């Protein structure tokens, strides 16, 4: 064969790999999942990590009632990245998934099925109903488990936890008993948020605020008593005091005006709150002019906050008015009013006192707050704080029950019984209109309107809730906790929780302020619900004469309950004879069983007790000894930012109330997922991105890459265009891995080159590798995955693909097999591949595994059994990095000049050029010393000259002192490397190639002959 006819491509070290360019993730990923299953990857990870410090991501349980959505996918992917990365950083990072199974949404589903079959829930035995709820939850656990596993989430899927497991229900009951024992559990009567639709009390974590249009009214409360205050001079100069001097006739007959957005609460009014702050002055005004037929009459006297008087008069259609005098905050303490509905239905004939309240402002309204203690937290607090003083004044402090659980007025609201505040479908009833009409008929209405504002809605039913006074079970926030019967002053649940917040690491840090504010302002925790599917409030009580209850404290009774729950589940509470079974010999003492169930947030808030502390049921988590206990182990919780008032919140209270500390060391939060225009995803908008669809079309690793690239601490966006960009980014990363694999097919371990013997370019890449290693480890430790993605994307696509690989293609493909440069490059590629694949593994577990197996095949191998590789800090070389920053800037100018030449059709390939580089900057010129700029610029030649260069030379404005003149390369084109050089043909044995390529061919031919 003559050289002219030789196929030189057969003599090149071209990349060889079975790792495909097209990922085919939807088909490949299930194969990898099956491989992990066969390998027993989860157990292998546990075995490999035995003895290491534990890093436990405790799973916040999703609700088992439907297919997963994009929020679930984001959450579970983040958890998997945490778990995998901590495992690869040297921890025993174990993930046990869990599910929240009790509660109203599942009850609703079963009730819907009953209605469809014509069945009456109330006619079904409660444990039969509970069994159907349990089966429903188990079905969705199985569905969701498969969907979560398809995301690539590694964990103990064979042994998850659920709040409905018998040991879990027993543990939840046991945790509640601890609150009963320490004196913080009590039954009280307070206004709570009540869902008429769901017929149960709701905790704050179960409520969301949505736009709602309310009726608003301005109502008069006629003053029937007011003391006149006079100033009495003292004996000493400037001395004196205010004294009560009899009735103030000018105020009596005037009216206090209130404003409310809930007219239906007026029948429950028992007081008016005002501010004692001197910054809110109150005045008595007289109306002097009104339109014909107005509700307010000429001569009416109204008492208002000065700042708000003009707004109130405008709403009342008052044309003119005049101030008469200021009314002191102290005098208001003596004021009593007549109820605006006095006499209606034979009721409301009681005095309405004025009470000071810190919640009163002059930001809106009238400066006075209508106070219905059965319908608002502040109302209740003000009323009960003054209860003793009210009794002394002859005012009954009893709080009425004006609205029942179905939203109907009771006989505690005379004249309105049967009117409805909210219907069972969550729609506005007829109560508001009835109350407003009665106020107008009584001449007590001075204005009305409508206001669109944020109002509490049930997060399940999406329907508005009401505040109503009901007997409920509470856990006290501010009562001293009794440990072994002894309480330390100030040792309250609130104090413990706030201290635990300060001892916890919050990621991002603003989460600490958010949950601190919530705990500081949290009312007593409402833990009772009036439903059937859940863990019951496992206490026995006896009624006291004052309406409170005594809670039975008996360890033998408690033990029987817990043992029964562990064997039969919480259904044991509802079995026939349960009371006698548990009370035993005490059954004759008048103790009654409580049948309310627990708030599901108490269930999930107790998961630390029956997962992290239960070595019998979760042996893989046995032996956790946290840093707060002097150990090395860490527990992290990761959920959406709404869980500051949800799972983080309830877990904190449950744990600090029973153990004195938080159940977690670190709390990580993520935002919500919006569409790519920043809108909430909804079926009605047609902008829902289902994770199942993304996986089917593009693969789970695409979804995972989107998660890791997003700033998950804030709200993220997803949509077709964003996913398109994600896919393109993935393609570039995959091709970088593929190129390394292809070239590493030619790597022989015996050819490994020590860093000190490497060319500068290879040492530069090791410097960058060491720099990125520090960043990646720090960012994984800080849960900052977007920073890792940005760094790896820059490193792999810019530093490697567009720079290092671009330059070294010639050496790798064309250099002789004995070439030191080629061997050094392959050595570096081996380090680069191992590091980048391991760093990517937590984020892109399928792709990383596929790439790893292409390099390290074997039935027992997996990248996920590896640790992040040790990258030597000695590879850092700042001086070299600074030098090559200058070299790369010069390269940019050369590239720009060649692009112009290519656009002008002067060249096709950069190898057709041999530019002249002019360097005016001495430091820049020195940096190029010893650097083969033709190799760096991928040209056939380069001439470097000192000086500014000609005016028409190419320059970049951000690279001062560098100018490039285009010159065409001279010589013949090498038939093997395609470089244009004068030396081509100088070796007579290989007349159509360069001397370098002739040497490569000589070695190649010698190897071929030896092989023959």
């Amino acid at each position: 064969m003559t050289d002219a006819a030789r196929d030189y491509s057969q003599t090149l070290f071209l990349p060889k790999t079975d790792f495909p360019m097209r990922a085919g993730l939807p088909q490949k990923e299930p194969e990898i999942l099956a491989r992990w299953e066969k390998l027993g990857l989860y157990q292998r990870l546990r075995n490999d990590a035995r003895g290491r410090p534990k890093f436990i991501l405790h799973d916040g349980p999703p609700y088992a009632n439907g297919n997963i959505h994009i929020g679930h996918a984001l959450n579970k992917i983040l958890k998997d990245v945490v778990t995998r990365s901590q495992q690869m950083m040297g921890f025993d990072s174990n993930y046990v998934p869990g599910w929240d199974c009790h509660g109203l949404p599942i009850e609703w589903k079963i009730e819907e099925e009953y209605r469809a079959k014509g069945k009456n829930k109330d006619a079904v035995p409660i444990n039969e109903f509970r069994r159907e709820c349990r089966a429903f939850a188990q079905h969705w656990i199985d569905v969701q488990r498969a969907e979560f596993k398809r995301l690539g989430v590694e964990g103990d899927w064979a042994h998850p936890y659920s709040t409905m497991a018998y040991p879990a229900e027993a543990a939840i009951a046991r945790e509640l008993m601890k609150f009963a024992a320490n004196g913080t559990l009590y039954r009280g009567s307070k206004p709570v948020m009540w869902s008429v639709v769901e017929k149960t009390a709701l905790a704050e974590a179960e409520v969301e605020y949505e736009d709602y249009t309310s009726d608003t009214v301005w109502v008069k409360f006629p003053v029937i008593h007011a003391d006149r205050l006079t100033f009495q001079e003292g004996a000493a100069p400037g001395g004196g005091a205010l004294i009560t001097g009899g009735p103030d006739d000018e105020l009596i007959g005037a009216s206090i005006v209130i404003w409310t957005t809930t007219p239906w609460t007026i029948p429950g009014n028992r007081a008016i709150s005002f501010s004692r702050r001197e910054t809110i002055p109150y005045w008595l005004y007289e109306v002097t002019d009104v339109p014909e037929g107005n509700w307010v009459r000429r001569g009416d006297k109204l008492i208002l906050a000065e700042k708000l008087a003009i707004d109130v008069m405008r709403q009342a259609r008052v044309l003119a008015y005049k101030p008469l005098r200021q009314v002191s905050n102290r005098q208001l303490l003596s004021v009593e009013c007549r109820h605006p509905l006095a006499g209606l239905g034979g009721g409301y004939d009681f005095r309405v006192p004025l009470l000071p309240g810190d919640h009163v402002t002059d930001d809106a309204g009238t400066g006075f707050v209508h106070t219905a203690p059965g319908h608002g937290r502040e109302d209740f607090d003000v009323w009960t704080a003054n209860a003793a003083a009210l009794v002394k004044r002859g005012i009954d402090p009893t709080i009425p029950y004006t609205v029942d659980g179905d939203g109907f007025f009771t006989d505690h609201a005379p004249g309105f019984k049967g009117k409805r505040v909210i219907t069972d479908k969550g729609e506005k009833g007829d109560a508001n209109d009835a109350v407003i009409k009665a106020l107008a008929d009584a001449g007590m209405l001075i204005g009305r309107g409508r206001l669109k504002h944020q109002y509490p809605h049930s997060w399940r039913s999406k329907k508005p809730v009401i505040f109503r006074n009901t007997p409920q079970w509470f856990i006290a926030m501010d009562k001293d906790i009794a440990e072994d019967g002894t309480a330390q002053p100030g040792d309250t649940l609130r104090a413990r929780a706030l201290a635990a917040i300060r001892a916890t690491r919050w990621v991002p840090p603003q989460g600490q302020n958010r949950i601190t504010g919530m705990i500081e302002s949290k009312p007593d925790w409402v833990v009772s619900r009036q439903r059937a599917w859940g863990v019951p409030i496992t206490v026995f009580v006896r009624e006291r004469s004052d309406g409170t209850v005594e809670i039975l404290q008996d360890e033998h009774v408690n033990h029987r309950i817990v043992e029964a729950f562990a064997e039969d589940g919480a259904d044991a509470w509802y079995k026939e004879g349960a009371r006698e079974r548990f009370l035993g010999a005490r059954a004759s003492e008048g103790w009654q069983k409580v049948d309310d169930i627990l708030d599901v947030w108490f269930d999930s808030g107790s998961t630390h007790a029956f997962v992290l502390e239960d070595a019998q049921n979760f042996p893989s988590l046995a032996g956790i000894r946290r840093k707060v206990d002097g150990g090395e182990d860490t527990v992290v919780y990761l959920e959406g930012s709404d869980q500051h008032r949800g799972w983080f919140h309830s877990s904190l209270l449950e744990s600090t109330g029973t153990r004195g500390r938080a159940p977690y060391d670190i709390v990580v939060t993520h935002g919500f997922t919006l569409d790519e225009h920043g809108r909430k995803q909804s079926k009605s908008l047609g902008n829902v991105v289902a994770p199942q669809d993304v996986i089917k079309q593009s693969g789970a690793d695409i979804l995972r890459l989107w998660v890791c690239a997003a700033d998950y601490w804030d709200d993220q966006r997803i949509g077709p265009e964003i996913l398109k960009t994600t896919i393109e980014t993935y393609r570039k990363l995959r091709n970088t891995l593929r190129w390394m694999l292809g070239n590493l097919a030619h790597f022989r371990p015996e050819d490994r080159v020590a860093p000190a013997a490497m060319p500068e370019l290879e040492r530069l890449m090791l410097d960058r590798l060491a720099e990125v290693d520090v960043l990646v480890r720090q960012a994984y430790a800080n849960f900052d995955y977007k920073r890792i993605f940005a760094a790896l994307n820059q490193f792999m696509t810019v530093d490697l693909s567009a720079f290092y690989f671009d330059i070294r293609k010639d050496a790798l493909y064309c250099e002789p097999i004995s070439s030191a440069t080629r061997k050094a490059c392959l050595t570096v590629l081996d380090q680069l591949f191992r590091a980048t694949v391991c760093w990517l593994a937590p984020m892109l577990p399928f792709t990383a595994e596929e790439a790893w197996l292409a390099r390290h095949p074997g039935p027992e191998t997996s990248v996920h059994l590896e640790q992040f590789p040790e990258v030597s800090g000695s590879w850092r070389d700042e001086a070299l990095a600074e030098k090559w920053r200058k070299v790369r800037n010069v390269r940019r100018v050369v590239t720009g000049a060649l692009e112009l030449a290519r656009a002008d059709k002067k060249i096709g390939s950069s190898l057709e050029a041999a530019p002249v580089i002019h360097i005016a900057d001495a430091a820049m010129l020195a940096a190029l010393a010893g650097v083969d700029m033709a190799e760096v610029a991928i040209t056939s030649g380069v001439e470097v000259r000192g000086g500014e260069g000609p005016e028409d030379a190419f320059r970049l404005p951000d690279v001062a002192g560098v100018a490039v003149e285009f010159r065409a390369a001279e010589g013949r084109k090498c038939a093997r490397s395609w470089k244009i050089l004068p030396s081509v043909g100088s070796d007579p044995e290989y007349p159509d190639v360069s001397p370098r390529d002739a040497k490569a061919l000589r070695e190649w031919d010698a190897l071929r002959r030896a092989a023959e």
Side-chain angles (χ1 to χ4, degrees):
M1 178 188 296
T2 65
D3 288 329
R6 187 169 187 176
D7 181 2
Y8 286 121
S9 68
Q10 299 299 314
T11 71
L12 300 174
F13 296 101
L14 295 174
K16 294 192 301 182
T17 181
D18 293 329
F19 186 76
M21 181 182 297
R22 292 182 62 84
L25 293 175
Q27 295 76 39
K28 186 67 178 179
E29 288 172 345
E31 296 174 10
I32 294 173
L33 284 171
R35 184 180 187 276
W36 289 341
E37 193 79 28
K38 184 178 180 180
L39 180 63
L41 180 60
Y42 172 77
Q43 195 55 52
R44 285 282 301 274
L45 289 166
R46 301 285 64 76
N47 295 341
D48 285 3
R50 190 169 288 120
R52 298 183 199 162
K54 295 179 184 295
F55 191 100
I56 306 300
L57 191 148
H58 180 43
D59 193 23
Y63 200 68
N65 72 331
N67 294 100
I68 69 171
H69 53 65
I70 195 67
H72 287 121
L74 171 88
N75 178 269
K76 278 295 191 284
I77 288 169
L78 286 172
K79 288 174 178 176
D80 192 54
V81 176
V82 170
T83 303
R84 289 182 186 273
S85 60
Q86 296 295 329
Q87 179 85 12
M88 297 182 82
M89 288 198 291
F91 291 96
D92 179 1
S93 186
N94 186 7
Y95 173 65
V96 175
W99 275 272
D100 200 355
C101 302
H102 295 130
L104 190 61
I106 290 176
E107 284 198 48
W108 270 12
K109 291 294 185 181
I110 303 304
E111 288 177 16
E112 284 178 5
E113 292 177 9
Y114 278 11
R115 285 191 291 271
K117 297 174 184 176
K119 291 176 68 174
N120 180 4
K121 174 193 172 186
D122 295 335
V124 176
I126 186 170
N127 276 346
E128 181 181 327
F129 178 78
R130 287 170 60 87
R131 278 193 294 274
E132 294 192 57
C133 290
R134 185 179 295 276
F136 180 91
Q138 186 59 55
H139 165 75
W140 285 108
I141 286 176
D142 295 339
V143 171
Q144 290 186 2
R145 172 167 33 204
E147 292 179 325
F148 288 141
K149 289 174 72 173
R150 182 61 186 85
L151 292 170
V153 179
E154 188 60 59
D156 194 358
W157 294 108
H159 306 98
Y161 78 83
S162 79
T163 57
M164 70 178 185
Y166 291 175
E169 291 183 331
I172 292 165
R174 185 171 57 243
E175 292 302 303
L176 179 72
M177 293 168 183
K178 294 178 182 179
F179 284 99
N182 68 27
T184 55
L185 179 70
Y186 70 95
R187 195 187 78 178
S189 175
K190 288 187 176 183
V192 296
M193 283 182 281
W194 181 269
S195 171
V196 173
V197 175
E198 296 150 300
K199 294 182 176 55
T200 188
L202 300 177
E204 291 189 17
E206 299 171 295
V207 168
E208 57 192 13
Y209 286 79
E210 302 289 346
D211 284 343
Y212 186 75
T213 301
S214 294
D215 295 306
T216 60
V217 290
W218 287 258
V219 181
K220 295 190 298 184
F221 281 69
V223 176
I224 57 175
H225 176 84
D227 290 336
R228 186 174 69 251
L229 298 182
T230 59
F231 184 78
Q232 185 177 66
E233 294 285 352
L242 286 170
I243 62 170
T244 302
D248 187 331
D249 294 330
E250 191 174 20
L251 287 188
I252 296 172
S255 294
I256 302 284
V257 180
I258 66 91
W259 172 75
T260 181
T261 59
T262 53
W264 63 268
T265 60
I266 293 290
N269 175 276
R270 291 300 182 269
I272 298 170
S273 296
F274 69 96
S275 175
R276 278 193 289 202
R277 292 191 292 273
E278 295 298 329
T279 54
I280 302 181
Y282 293 94
W283 280 72
L284 175 65
Y285 298 91
E286 182 179 347
V287 175
T288 58
D289 192 15
V290 293
E292 189 69 28
N294 202 38
W295 280 329
V296 179
R297 307 293 178 82
R298 185 181 291 107
D300 281 356
K301 294 178 182 178
L302 308 177
I303 304 171
L304 303 162
E306 181 182 32
K307 177 182 172 183
L308 296 167
I310 188 170
D311 291 332
V312 175
M313 296 298 185
R314 185 181 297 119
Q315 293 293 337
R317 298 172 63 225
V318 170
L319 301 177
Y321 63 96
K322 64 182 179 181
L324 298 180
R325 66 177 174 87
Q326 187 170 353
V327 181
S328 74
N329 307 65
R330 178 171 173 179
Q331 187 178 17
L332 289 174
L333 286 168
S334 72
V335 171
E336 292 175 356
C337 295
R338 186 173 72 248
H339 197 284
L341 297 172
L344 180 68
Y348 311 104
D349 292 322
F350 47 78
R351 291 172 288 155
V352 177
L354 264 70
L355 303 175
D358 293 335
H359 63 295
V360 182
T361 71
D362 59 357
D363 294 335
T366 68
F368 294 99
V369 175
H370 141 63
T371 299
H375 297 300
R377 179 184 166 192
E378 289 96 347
D379 305 44
F380 176 87
D381 291 343
V382 167
W383 184 253
T384 54
N386 287 278
L390 292 170
V391 171
K392 287 182 181 179
R393 293 168 64 174
I395 296 174
D396 183 0
T398 302
I399 299 173
Y401 291 92
T402 55
V403 179
D404 69 15
D406 292 318
F408 289 103
F409 275 129
T410 68
D411 54 11
H412 285 209
F416 301 105
K417 185 176 180 181
K419 299 296 182 183
R420 202 169 194 183
V421 179
I422 289 180
T423 72
D424 54 5
K425 297 193 181 301
E427 296 165 355
K428 204 175 290 185
D430 55 0
N432 263 357
D433 289 340
V435 172
I436 293 171
K437 182 179 184 303
L439 290 169
D441 291 346
M444 295 296 120
L445 196 64
I446 73 167
R448 67 175 296 181
R450 295 173 74 79
L451 176 69
K452 187 175 183 179
H453 62 135
Q454 292 279 291
Y455 186 84
H457 288 61
S458 166
W459 69 272
R460 296 186 187 95
S461 67
K462 309 302 180 186
K463 300 299 183 182
V465 302
I466 59 174
F467 280 89
R468 62 179 289 262
N469 190 32
T470 63
Q472 297 290 342
W473 286 90
F474 298 85
I475 292 175
M477 291 296 295
D478 297 308
K479 183 179 181 181
D480 293 339
I481 296 173
E483 299 285 0
D484 300 322
T486 304
Q488 296 295 322
D491 183 22
T492 66
L493 182 53
R494 193 185 311 278
R496 287 185 177 188
L498 290 172
I501 290 169
R502 293 190 291 271
T504 300
R505 177 185 168 197
W506 299 88
V507 181
Q510 54 265 36
Q512 178 172 348
N513 292 334
R514 185 172 186 186
I515 196 168
T516 295
M518 292 175 176
I519 295 296
E520 285 176 340
S521 62
K522 182 179 179 65
D524 288 354
W525 185 4
V526 189
V527 294
S528 53
R529 298 292 182 271
Q530 290 67 47
R531 302 298 296 184
W533 175 229
V535 177
I537 294 180
T538 48
V539 295
F540 289 90
V541 299
R542 283 194 301 209
E543 298 283 341
R544 295 191 179 109
S545 59
D546 62 357
T548 62
V549 294
E550 176 188 0
I551 300 174
L552 175 63
Q553 301 286 354
D554 188 312
E555 280 301 316
H556 298 292
V557 172
N558 290 348
H559 179 73
R560 285 193 286 270
I561 295 170
V562 171
E563 287 293 303
F565 279 27
E567 183 178 343
D568 300 323
D571 292 357
W573 191 255
Y574 301 101
K575 288 183 177 179
E576 188 174 349
R579 177 182 177 277
E580 291 71 22
R581 173 187 181 184
F582 297 137
L583 286 173
R586 306 196 67 168
S588 62
E589 297 179 9
W591 298 103
Q592 297 302 314
K593 183 165 64 77
V594 175
D595 284 332
D596 284 353
I597 65 166
L598 275 168
D599 172 16
V600 291
W601 290 110
F602 190 95
D603 286 18
S604 59
S606 303
T607 56
H608 64 94
F610 60 81
V611 179
L612 302 183
E613 299 175 11
D614 185 353
Q616 180 178 348
N617 288 292
F618 299 99
S620 66
L621 296 173
I624 296 173
R625 191 159 181 260
R626 293 165 55 195
K627 294 183 179 72
V628 293
D629 300 320
E632 297 182 286
D633 302 334
T634 301
V635 174
V636 62
Y637 282 29
L638 185 156
E639 296 299 330
S641 56
D642 59 330
Q643 296 307 308
H644 289 108
R645 64 187 180 106
W647 189 54
F648 302 151
H649 195 113
S650 62
S651 299
L652 174 70
L653 294 180
E654 203 292 321
S655 183
T656 53
T658 55
R659 292 153 177 79
R661 63 183 186 193
Y664 37 66
D665 303 292
I666 305 170
V667 173
V668 183
T669 56
H670 61 76
F672 296 97
T673 305
L674 310 173
D675 76 2
E676 53 195 359
H677 304 293
R679 299 174 302 177
K680 184 177 179 180
Q681 294 191 33
S682 70
K683 291 180 180 178
S684 61
L685 291 175
N687 62 349
V688 173
V689 175
Q692 297 86 347
D693 293 340
V694 178
I695 291 170
K696 183 178 179 180
Q697 295 164 9
S698 305
D701 266 0
I702 297 302
L703 204 55
R704 296 179 68 108
L705 184 59
W706 164 75
V707 170
C708 294
D711 182 2
Y712 74 86
W713 295 343
D714 203 346
D715 292 344
Q716 330 82 40
R717 300 184 180 191
I718 192 171
E721 292 304 314
I722 289 172
L723 286 171
K724 192 182 297 182
T725 301
T726 304
I727 291 168
E728 178 59 22
T729 301
Y730 173 85
R731 186 188 64 79
K732 292 177 180 178
L733 293 174
R734 183 180 181 89
N735 283 344
T736 300
L737 296 176
R738 184 172 185 271
W739 192 87
M740 285 192 281
L741 281 168
N743 285 282
L744 285 170
H746 305 294
F747 176 62
R748 298 179 302 185
E750 62 269 23
D751 289 339
R752 194 176 299 277
V753 177
M758 290 180 178
E760 278 191 4
L761 188 55
E762 277 57 46
R763 286 189 284 118
L764 176 68
M765 289 301 106
L766 293 181
D767 168 80
R768 280 290 289 134
L769 190 68
E771 182 181 9
V772 174
D773 176 67
V774 172
L775 183 151
V776 167
R777 289 175 182 272
Q778 287 177 346
Y780 269 128
N782 292 330
F783 314 101
D784 192 353
Y785 308 127
K786 67 182 183 302
R787 187 168 179 234
I788 298 169
F789 165 76
L792 289 182
N793 190 38
Q794 168 76 19
F795 181 55
M796 294 178 69
T797 62
V798 178
D799 293 339
L800 297 184
S801 287
F803 176 67
Y804 180 57
F805 296 171
D806 206 27
I807 292 170
R808 280 295 184 240
K809 283 177 183 175
D810 177 72
L812 285 171
Y813 300 173
C814 301
E815 289 275 326
I817 196 168
S818 63
S819 164
T821 297
R822 181 176 168 279
K823 291 178 181 179
C825 181
L826 288 170
T827 302
V828 169
L829 285 184
D830 184 54
Q831 296 283 1
L832 290 171
F833 177 82
R834 180 178 182 82
T836 54
V837 172
C838 286
W839 290 339
L840 286 171
M843 297 191 289
L844 304 178
F846 295 109
T847 301
E849 183 80 322
E850 184 187 2
W852 186 264
L853 292 174
R855 176 94 176 99
H856 304 289
E860 299 296 313
T861 61
S862 171
V863 69
H864 302 293
L865 295 171
E866 300 294 318
Q867 299 285 285
F868 287 153
E870 292 297 325
V871 176
S872 176
S874 66
W875 293 351
R876 291 303 311 275
D877 189 336
E878 185 54 43
L880 181 67
E882 180 57 33
K883 170 182 176 175
W884 275 84
R885 274 191 280 273
K886 295 182 175 68
V887 173
R888 291 182 73 168
N889 277 334
V890 173
R891 183 178 189 260
R892 285 175 51 222
V893 184
V894 174
T895 301
L898 296 182
E899 287 300 319
L900 280 182
R902 186 177 286 109
D904 292 339
K905 309 297 185 184
K906 294 179 180 177
I907 57 171
S909 162
S910 62
L911 291 175
E912 297 172 30
V916 178
I917 306 173
H918 300 271
I919 308 290
D921 182 270
M924 189 80 80
L925 188 61
L928 299 191
V931 176
D932 184 348
M933 282 305 299
E935 178 183 66
V936 170
I938 315 176
T939 58
S940 291
V942 159
E943 181 183 353
V944 178
R945 300 177 183 174
E948 292 287 347
E951 287 187 11
D952 60 349
F954 179 82
R955 294 171 173 82
L956 288 177
D958 61 330
V959 185
V962 179
V964 175
E965 280 185 279
F966 171 76
R967 293 281 192 277
E970 297 180 355
R972 291 172 57 201
K973 182 177 181 179
C974 173
R976 184 169 179 268
S977 67
W978 297 357
K979 289 184 178 181
I980 298 173
L981 300 167
S983 58
V984 170
S986 58
D987 188 321
E989 191 174 346
Y990 300 96
D992 56 351
V993 300
S994 70
R996 188 275 310 265
D997 289 272
K999 181 181 179 183
L1001 289 170
R1002 193 168 282 112
E1003 291 184 14
W1004 182 276
D1005 290 341
L1007 283 173
R1008 189 181 60 186
R1009 286 192 295 272
E1012 292 172 352

